[in-house]
Amino acid sequence: SERTALRLEHFLYDDFLFNRIAYEYAVKANVLLDASYDFTAQAVTVGISSSSIKFSLTSNSLRWSKTKTFGLAFGLKFPL
């Protein structure tokens, strides 16, 4: 449906290929929830975005002492 999307993504960074599967769901017309799994990093990302803000968290473990992959993203969108 128009409210959901499933994506297969590939990213090349230096000599490393990262393969990811991602799912997104439109809660409202301008609010999007997304989740993805990166097979190379073995990490999960969850995020939320709207027309003006984006936030996501990535980790391969719920225990901080075992975490090897961690990401925190925050963004503001505004017209120029």
Side-chain angles (χ1 to χ4, degrees), residues 40-66:
T40 306
Q42 297 179 339
V44 172
T45 299
V46 292
I48 186 168
S49 61
S50 72
S51 58
S52 60
I53 194 167
K54 179 178 174 90
F55 176 79
S56 68
L57 178 65
T58 303
S59 183
N60 70 319
S61 176
L62 293 175
R63 294 181 59 190
W64 182 254
S65 61
K66 295 191 180 263

mmCIF file of all heavy atoms in Angstrom, residues 40-66:
data_model
loop_
_atom_site.group_PDB
_atom_site.id
_atom_site.type_symbol
_atom_site.label_atom_id
_atom_site.label_comp_id
_atom_site.label_asym_id
_atom_site.label_seq_id
_atom_site.Cartn_x
_atom_site.Cartn_y
_atom_site.Cartn_z
ATOM 1 N N THR A 40 25.752 -6.684 7.266
ATOM 2 C CA THR A 40 27.200 -6.622 7.447
ATOM 3 C C THR A 40 27.554 -6.233 8.875
ATOM 4 O O THR A 40 28.383 -6.878 9.511
ATOM 5 C CB THR A 40 27.827 -5.613 6.463
ATOM 6 O OG1 THR A 40 27.423 -5.959 5.141
ATOM 7 C CG2 THR A 40 29.334 -5.630 6.541
ATOM 8 N N ALA A 41 26.931 -5.191 9.389
ATOM 9 C CA ALA A 41 27.204 -4.721 10.749
ATOM 10 C C ALA A 41 26.408 -5.497 11.789
ATOM 11 O O ALA A 41 26.664 -5.350 12.980
ATOM 12 C CB ALA A 41 26.884 -3.243 10.864
ATOM 13 N N GLN A 42 25.444 -6.292 11.355
ATOM 14 C CA GLN A 42 24.539 -7.027 12.245
ATOM 15 C C GLN A 42 23.887 -6.060 13.242
ATOM 16 O O GLN A 42 23.849 -6.302 14.437
ATOM 17 C CB GLN A 42 25.258 -8.159 12.957
ATOM 18 C CG GLN A 42 25.788 -9.211 12.007
ATOM 19 C CD GLN A 42 26.524 -10.324 12.708
ATOM 20 O OE1 GLN A 42 26.994 -10.171 13.831
ATOM 21 N NE2 GLN A 42 26.626 -11.453 12.037
ATOM 22 N N ALA A 43 23.380 -4.945 12.706
ATOM 23 C CA ALA A 43 22.816 -3.887 13.539
ATOM 24 C C ALA A 43 21.405 -3.537 13.093
ATOM 25 O O ALA A 43 21.064 -3.637 11.924
ATOM 26 C CB ALA A 43 23.693 -2.642 13.475
ATOM 27 N N VAL A 44 20.605 -3.102 14.047
ATOM 28 C CA VAL A 44 19.226 -2.683 13.813
ATOM 29 C C VAL A 44 19.150 -1.164 13.942
ATOM 30 O O VAL A 44 19.764 -0.581 14.842
ATOM 31 C CB VAL A 44 18.279 -3.351 14.830
ATOM 32 C CG1 VAL A 44 16.875 -2.783 14.732
ATOM 33 C CG2 VAL A 44 18.262 -4.849 14.634
ATOM 34 N N THR A 45 18.401 -0.547 13.058
ATOM 35 C CA THR A 45 18.135 0.889 13.132
ATOM 36 C C THR A 45 16.630 1.100 13.240
ATOM 37 O O THR A 45 15.864 0.467 12.529
ATOM 38 C CB THR A 45 18.648 1.621 11.870
ATOM 39 O OG1 THR A 45 20.050 1.430 11.777
ATOM 40 C CG2 THR A 45 18.332 3.104 11.920
ATOM 41 N N VAL A 46 16.226 1.966 14.157
ATOM 42 C CA VAL A 46 14.829 2.382 14.257
ATOM 43 C C VAL A 46 14.801 3.902 14.200
ATOM 44 O O VAL A 46 15.707 4.572 14.717
ATOM 45 C CB VAL A 46 14.131 1.875 15.547
ATOM 46 C CG1 VAL A 46 13.978 0.371 15.511
ATOM 47 C CG2 VAL A 46 14.890 2.300 16.778
ATOM 48 N N GLY A 47 13.785 4.435 13.531
ATOM 49 C CA GLY A 47 13.744 5.880 13.385
ATOM 50 C C GLY A 47 12.345 6.408 13.172
ATOM 51 O O GLY A 47 11.408 5.663 12.891
ATOM 52 N N ILE A 48 12.235 7.709 13.324
ATOM 53 C CA ILE A 48 10.991 8.420 13.075
ATOM 54 C C ILE A 48 11.347 9.728 12.376
ATOM 55 O O ILE A 48 12.376 10.341 12.671
ATOM 56 C CB ILE A 48 10.199 8.677 14.377
ATOM 57 C CG1 ILE A 48 8.840 9.296 14.072
ATOM 58 C CG2 ILE A 48 11.000 9.502 15.369
ATOM 59 C CD1 ILE A 48 7.888 9.317 15.256
ATOM 60 N N SER A 49 10.510 10.115 11.429
ATOM 61 C CA SER A 49 10.750 11.383 10.739
ATOM 62 C C SER A 49 9.421 12.035 10.396
ATOM 63 O O SER A 49 8.390 11.379 10.283
ATOM 64 C CB SER A 49 11.580 11.165 9.475
ATOM 65 O OG SER A 49 10.900 10.328 8.570
ATOM 66 N N SER A 50 9.491 13.340 10.268
ATOM 67 C CA SER A 50 8.327 14.123 9.850
ATOM 68 C C SER A 50 8.802 15.115 8.801
ATOM 69 O O SER A 50 9.936 15.056 8.347
ATOM 70 C CB SER A 50 7.702 14.831 11.047
ATOM 71 O OG SER A 50 8.528 15.897 11.465
ATOM 72 N N SER A 51 7.958 16.047 8.475
ATOM 73 C CA SER A 51 8.336 17.034 7.474
ATOM 74 C C SER A 51 9.417 17.991 7.978
ATOM 75 O O SER A 51 10.072 18.650 7.192
ATOM 76 C CB SER A 51 7.106 17.815 7.021
ATOM 77 O OG SER A 51 6.515 18.433 8.142
ATOM 78 N N SER A 52 9.651 18.033 9.302
ATOM 79 C CA SER A 52 10.623 18.992 9.821
ATOM 80 C C SER A 52 11.717 18.403 10.700
ATOM 81 O O SER A 52 12.677 19.096 11.032
ATOM 82 C CB SER A 52 9.899 20.087 10.605
ATOM 83 O OG SER A 52 9.195 19.502 11.680
ATOM 84 N N ILE A 53 11.613 17.123 11.095
ATOM 85 C CA ILE A 53 12.587 16.552 12.024
ATOM 86 C C ILE A 53 12.815 15.067 11.707
ATOM 87 O O ILE A 53 11.936 14.394 11.186
ATOM 88 C CB ILE A 53 12.111 16.737 13.481
ATOM 89 C CG1 ILE A 53 13.227 16.476 14.477
ATOM 90 C CG2 ILE A 53 10.900 15.886 13.786
ATOM 91 C CD1 ILE A 53 12.896 16.951 15.877
ATOM 92 N N LYS A 54 14.019 14.586 12.025
ATOM 93 C CA LYS A 54 14.336 13.160 11.832
ATOM 94 C C LYS A 54 15.199 12.706 12.996
ATOM 95 O O LYS A 54 16.106 13.425 13.439
ATOM 96 C CB LYS A 54 15.076 12.954 10.527
ATOM 97 C CG LYS A 54 15.441 11.506 10.280
ATOM 98 C CD LYS A 54 16.134 11.328 8.937
ATOM 99 C CE LYS A 54 16.609 9.912 8.772
ATOM 100 N NZ LYS A 54 15.674 9.026 8.165
ATOM 101 N N PHE A 55 14.915 11.504 13.504
ATOM 102 C CA PHE A 55 15.681 10.923 14.595
ATOM 103 C C PHE A 55 15.810 9.428 14.351
ATOM 104 O O PHE A 55 14.834 8.776 13.983
ATOM 105 C CB PHE A 55 14.974 11.166 15.945
ATOM 106 C CG PHE A 55 15.674 10.507 17.095
ATOM 107 C CD1 PHE A 55 16.801 11.079 17.657
ATOM 108 C CD2 PHE A 55 15.225 9.307 17.591
ATOM 109 C CE1 PHE A 55 17.460 10.459 18.707
ATOM 110 C CE2 PHE A 55 15.866 8.680 18.640
ATOM 111 C CZ PHE A 55 16.998 9.266 19.206
ATOM 112 N N SER A 56 17.013 8.871 14.544
ATOM 113 C CA SER A 56 17.180 7.422 14.432
ATOM 114 C C SER A 56 18.279 6.949 15.373
ATOM 115 O O SER A 56 19.180 7.709 15.741
ATOM 116 C CB SER A 56 17.491 6.998 12.998
ATOM 117 O OG SER A 56 18.759 7.451 12.603
ATOM 118 N N LEU A 57 18.196 5.687 15.740
ATOM 119 C CA LEU A 57 19.145 5.045 16.636
ATOM 120 C C LEU A 57 19.539 3.711 16.026
ATOM 121 O O LEU A 57 18.670 2.946 15.590
ATOM 122 C CB LEU A 57 18.501 4.838 18.017
ATOM 123 C CG LEU A 57 19.326 4.140 19.073
ATOM 124 C CD1 LEU A 57 20.537 4.989 19.443
ATOM 125 C CD2 LEU A 57 18.474 3.881 20.300
ATOM 126 N N THR A 58 20.840 3.439 15.998
ATOM 127 C CA THR A 58 21.370 2.190 15.433
ATOM 128 C C THR A 58 22.240 1.507 16.464
ATOM 129 O O THR A 58 23.055 2.160 17.125
ATOM 130 C CB THR A 58 22.232 2.477 14.180
ATOM 131 O OG1 THR A 58 21.456 3.179 13.224
ATOM 132 C CG2 THR A 58 22.762 1.197 13.570
ATOM 133 N N SER A 59 22.094 0.184 16.589
ATOM 134 C CA SER A 59 22.956 -0.575 17.485
ATOM 135 C C SER A 59 22.911 -2.055 17.110
ATOM 136 O O SER A 59 21.939 -2.525 16.539
ATOM 137 C CB SER A 59 22.509 -0.403 18.940
ATOM 138 O OG SER A 59 23.389 -1.092 19.802
ATOM 139 N N ASN A 60 23.975 -2.759 17.462
ATOM 140 C CA ASN A 60 23.993 -4.193 17.239
ATOM 141 C C ASN A 60 23.737 -4.957 18.537
ATOM 142 O O ASN A 60 23.698 -6.180 18.526
ATOM 143 C CB ASN A 60 25.330 -4.637 16.634
ATOM 144 C CG ASN A 60 26.470 -4.542 17.616
ATOM 145 O OD1 ASN A 60 26.561 -3.578 18.363
ATOM 146 N ND2 ASN A 60 27.337 -5.527 17.631
ATOM 147 N N SER A 61 23.574 -4.247 19.658
ATOM 148 C CA SER A 61 23.337 -4.909 20.939
ATOM 149 C C SER A 61 22.566 -3.969 21.858
ATOM 150 O O SER A 61 22.741 -2.748 21.810
ATOM 151 C CB SER A 61 24.666 -5.289 21.598
ATOM 152 O OG SER A 61 24.444 -5.858 22.874
ATOM 153 N N LEU A 62 21.739 -4.541 22.712
ATOM 154 C CA LEU A 62 21.029 -3.752 23.715
ATOM 155 C C LEU A 62 21.909 -3.488 24.937
ATOM 156 O O LEU A 62 21.613 -2.629 25.751
ATOM 157 C CB LEU A 62 19.740 -4.457 24.140
ATOM 158 C CG LEU A 62 18.672 -4.559 23.052
ATOM 159 C CD1 LEU A 62 17.488 -5.375 23.561
ATOM 160 C CD2 LEU A 62 18.216 -3.182 22.604
ATOM 161 N N ARG A 63 22.995 -4.246 25.060
ATOM 162 C CA ARG A 63 23.922 -4.069 26.180
ATOM 163 C C ARG A 63 25.090 -3.200 25.725
ATOM 164 O O ARG A 63 25.804 -3.541 24.788
ATOM 165 C CB ARG A 63 24.416 -5.417 26.680
ATOM 166 C CG ARG A 63 23.286 -6.250 27.288
ATOM 167 C CD ARG A 63 23.757 -7.563 27.793
ATOM 168 N NE ARG A 63 24.790 -7.370 28.812
ATOM 169 C CZ ARG A 63 25.522 -8.366 29.283
ATOM 170 N NH1 ARG A 63 25.352 -9.588 28.829
ATOM 171 N NH2 ARG A 63 26.439 -8.135 30.196
ATOM 172 N N TRP A 64 25.278 -2.059 26.394
ATOM 173 C CA TRP A 64 26.305 -1.101 26.001
ATOM 174 C C TRP A 64 27.694 -1.745 25.969
ATOM 175 O O TRP A 64 28.498 -1.449 25.083
ATOM 176 C CB TRP A 64 26.268 0.083 26.950
ATOM 177 C CG TRP A 64 27.250 1.147 26.590
ATOM 178 C CD1 TRP A 64 28.416 1.425 27.233
ATOM 179 C CD2 TRP A 64 27.172 2.053 25.493
ATOM 180 N NE1 TRP A 64 29.058 2.457 26.598
ATOM 181 C CE2 TRP A 64 28.320 2.864 25.525
ATOM 182 C CE3 TRP A 64 26.240 2.259 24.472
ATOM 183 C CZ2 TRP A 64 28.559 3.865 24.596
ATOM 184 C CZ3 TRP A 64 26.483 3.253 23.547
ATOM 185 C CH2 TRP A 64 27.629 4.036 23.614
ATOM 186 N N SER A 65 27.997 -2.629 26.899
ATOM 187 C CA SER A 65 29.329 -3.237 26.973
ATOM 188 C C SER A 65 29.612 -4.170 25.793
ATOM 189 O O SER A 65 30.764 -4.453 25.500
ATOM 190 C CB SER A 65 29.494 -4.008 28.286
ATOM 191 O OG SER A 65 28.538 -5.048 28.369
ATOM 192 N N LYS A 66 28.586 -4.627 25.110
ATOM 193 C CA LYS A 66 28.762 -5.528 23.969
ATOM 194 C C LYS A 66 28.571 -4.832 22.618
ATOM 195 O O LYS A 66 28.697 -5.443 21.578
ATOM 196 C CB LYS A 66 27.805 -6.708 24.083
ATOM 197 C CG LYS A 66 28.081 -7.599 25.271
ATOM 198 C CD LYS A 66 27.276 -8.869 25.174
ATOM 199 C CE LYS A 66 27.570 -9.730 26.377
ATOM 200 N NZ LYS A 66 28.555 -10.740 26.104
#
